[in-house]
Amino acid sequence: MERDNYDIPELIELEKKRQQETINLIPSENFVSRAVLEALGSCLVNKYAEGYPGKRYYQGNEVIDEIENLTIERAKKLFNTPHANVQPYSGSPANQAVYMACCSLGDTVMGMDLSAGGHLTHGSAVSFSGKYYASVFYGVAEETQRLDYEEIAKIAEKEKPRLIWCGATAYPRFFDWSEFNKIARSVGAYLAADISHYAGLVAGGAYPSPVDWVDIVTTTTHKTLRGPRGAIILVTDQGLQKDPDLAKKIQKSVFPGLQGGPHENAIAAIAVCLAEASTDEFKEYAKQVVINSAVLAEELKKNGFNLVSGGTDNHLILIDLRNKNILGKEAAVALEKAGIICNANSIPFDPNPPARPSAIRLGTPAVTTRGMKEAEMKVIAGLINSALEKEADLSAAKNEVLRLISRFPLK
Ligand code: DSN
């Protein structure tokens, strides 16, 4: 059959095969359970439920209200916060709602620079966050490639932001939430932690929780949390002390401020993933993600790779490829040919432009879900090394990848 004639079911099968037969090292991706998939593909997709439980703009929402209330309760319990909104369609809309709740257009906001590992929605000039707000940035120290809290405090003191973001998409170290708390309190700013990358690790006790230190927590639900595409906004006790109306403002910003009908099939799937993330088995998973990342990092170093900040505290590793004379994109393409999937990424103070960055970003959440442990991380480091050698035999590497991955089938 010509590929052009394939319809969606065949294409889904092809994508399933691709996922089955590759080693996925993209740190923001994962594999969900069958139960999550079933909730996502359920009849809940048929229902409109604009509004919130108990106050909908459509009839027929008795069951939907129970589903959304259950999801809210599970989110509050898992992360230990007094308030949760589970309606944001994904991470960017969730963060947008935080701006809408805390700021007026044009206010000064502060976040981690994209080039240092921050997210587009933390103030980048190309996103709404940099277009509608006056964004200022902190980065990492050039020498250590780690956050320099004294420097961040100085920037905050000078710029007096209304809102400070902590959290990142490409920072391999811990965030010291308590340091951010001191900085935000000293300038009277709202403090929001975007834990999209760490939520599963936080839930599983493998990464410190920001809940006691920040006013708002946002997270996507599809990364380490291993749920469907979606997001949650949590308001903490501290947030309610700072601003007793904060939860109400978040509610109004999500609906009717930014969104219409919530995706209740995704919300139900979030409820399923939150229940899964409350188990002892998930705690083991979260711990193993971090162990695997540490082992992969050490093995890569043994193979002569330079890692940003010298290693990792979490699920994510950035390889600075400059000593290997290969650009990030070239490396990611070569690895894909060998069956290893990752993405090109900038490094802090990257001498190359964002379109031709110097690094690749790797992570262990997805391979850990497949059941891989320390021994496999050592093999993967070796495979990465051989695939990035000059004139590497990428089809031989792909056979090795297939041999390894076939021992860890997707359920
Ligand atoms: N696209 C996500 C990531 O890969 O980190 C962030 O939104």
Side-chain angles (χ1 to χ4, degrees):
M1 191 192 283
E2 284 294 312
R3 177 74 170 260
D4 280 354
N5 294 333
Y6 279 21
D7 206 343
I8 293 300
E10 288 99 345
L11 291 169
I12 290 174
E13 281 309 308
L14 279 180
E15 172 58 12
K16 208 192 251 178
K17 184 169 150 60
R18 186 199 67 79
Q19 292 187 13
Q20 188 75 257
E21 294 181 353
T22 50
I23 293 177
N24 183 2
L25 293 179
I26 293 181
S28 47
E29 293 185 4
N30 216 325
F31 300 107
V32 300
S33 68
R34 180 131 305 266
V36 166
L37 278 182
E38 276 168 9
L40 260 184
S42 68
C43 65
L44 302 177
V45 78
N46 300 330
K47 190 69 195 108
Y48 250 119
E50 270 169 272
Y52 287 105
K55 190 165 183 261
R56 304 286 189 184
Y57 291 83
Y58 294 79
Q59 295 313 115
N61 275 307
E62 196 186 326
V63 179
I64 295 291
D65 277 5
E66 277 190 52
I67 289 171
E68 192 168 329
N69 277 329
L70 183 60
T71 315
I72 291 166
E73 288 313 309
R74 286 183 182 173
K76 282 160 52 176
K77 189 164 175 221
L78 185 64
F79 292 103
N80 195 22
T81 60
H83 180 80
N85 185 309
V86 297
Q87 290 195 358
Y89 299 143
S90 201
S92 295
N95 289 354
Q96 214 174 340
V98 171
Y99 285 92
M100 204 175 189
C102 300
C103 304
S104 300
L105 291 181
D107 276 353
T108 300
V109 299
M110 179 168 156
M112 190 171 190
D113 201 330
L114 197 60
S115 64
H119 190 253
L120 277 170
T121 58
H122 298 177
S124 166
V126 296
S127 114
F128 75 90
S129 58
K131 289 187 192 295
Y132 302 151
Y133 302 92
S135 41
V136 294
F137 298 102
Y138 57 86
V140 291
E142 194 157 5
E143 200 184 324
T144 60
Q145 297 177 313
R146 293 179 188 230
L147 291 164
D148 174 348
Y149 295 97
E150 270 178 37
E151 184 59 24
I152 299 168
K154 276 188 207 153
I155 301 169
E157 185 53 37
K158 178 164 174 267
E159 305 287 353
K160 301 275 186 304
R162 172 110 178 133
L163 168 67
I164 297 177
W165 284 100
C166 39
T169 61
Y171 183 62
R173 297 297 177 176
F174 288 131
F175 269 77
D176 187 335
W177 311 119
S178 68
E179 287 295 332
F180 274 97
N181 175 282
K182 276 190 237 155
I183 293 166
R185 295 292 86 105
S186 74
V187 297
Y190 285 103
L191 182 59
D194 179 344
I195 61 164
S196 294
H197 266 263
Y198 321 117
L201 306 182
V202 169
Y207 194 99
S209 169
V211 159
D212 291 338
W213 301 106
V214 306
D215 304 316
I216 299 170
V217 177
T218 63
T219 182
T220 50
T221 45
H222 48 270
K223 297 187 175 86
T224 48
L225 199 54
R226 224 161 55 176
R229 269 156 209 281
I232 300 174
I233 306 174
L234 303 161
V235 179
T236 65
D237 283 316
Q238 185 170 141
L240 292 177
Q241 269 164 30
K242 176 175 167 61
D243 177 354
D245 290 331
L246 191 54
K248 266 187 232 143
K249 290 179 186 169
I250 292 285
Q251 293 295 95
K252 276 194 184 164
S253 299
V254 174
F255 176 83
L258 292 163
Q259 296 189 172
H263 298 176
E264 294 292 343
N265 58 324
I267 289 174
I270 291 173
V272 174
C273 98
L274 292 172
E276 291 172 356
S278 317
T279 59
D280 287 344
E281 194 187 334
F282 193 86
K283 284 196 182 82
E284 287 305 311
Y285 163 71
K287 241 185 265 159
Q288 192 65 47
V289 167
V290 176
I291 292 170
N292 282 353
S293 182
V295 171
L296 182 58
E298 282 314 304
E299 290 298 314
L300 287 166
K301 285 202 276 187
K302 284 184 200 160
N303 281 290
F305 287 104
N306 288 333
L307 305 189
V308 168
S309 83
T312 179
D313 296 328
N314 56 32
H315 62 303
L316 177 153
I317 296 162
L318 274 175
I319 306 183
D320 176 350
L321 291 163
R322 286 176 299 172
N323 66 330
K324 299 279 183 183
N325 294 318
I326 183 167
L327 286 169
K329 185 71 185 175
E330 289 165 11
V333 168
L335 287 170
E336 185 173 12
K337 286 185 182 148
I340 297 174
I341 310 298
C342 68
N343 68 282
N345 215 96
S346 294
I347 50 168
F349 307 99
D350 203 323
N352 291 314
R356 300 174 67 247
S358 300
I360 48 173
R361 187 182 68 150
L362 311 177
T364 53
V367 286
T368 308
T369 295
R370 289 185 82 149
M372 292 193 187
K373 296 216 162 121
E374 292 91 318
E376 288 75 38
M377 296 307 112
K378 292 180 185 173
V379 176
I380 291 175
L383 286 167
I384 292 173
N385 190 37
S386 353
L388 295 185
E389 269 166 2
K390 273 208 174 75
E391 300 182 21
D393 183 347
L394 295 176
S395 52
K398 188 163 191 173
N399 285 335
E400 290 289 314
V401 165
L402 277 174
R403 246 197 303 279
L404 174 65
I405 206 76
S406 61
R407 290 176 26 230
F408 300 90
L410 280 172
K411 287 174 195 146

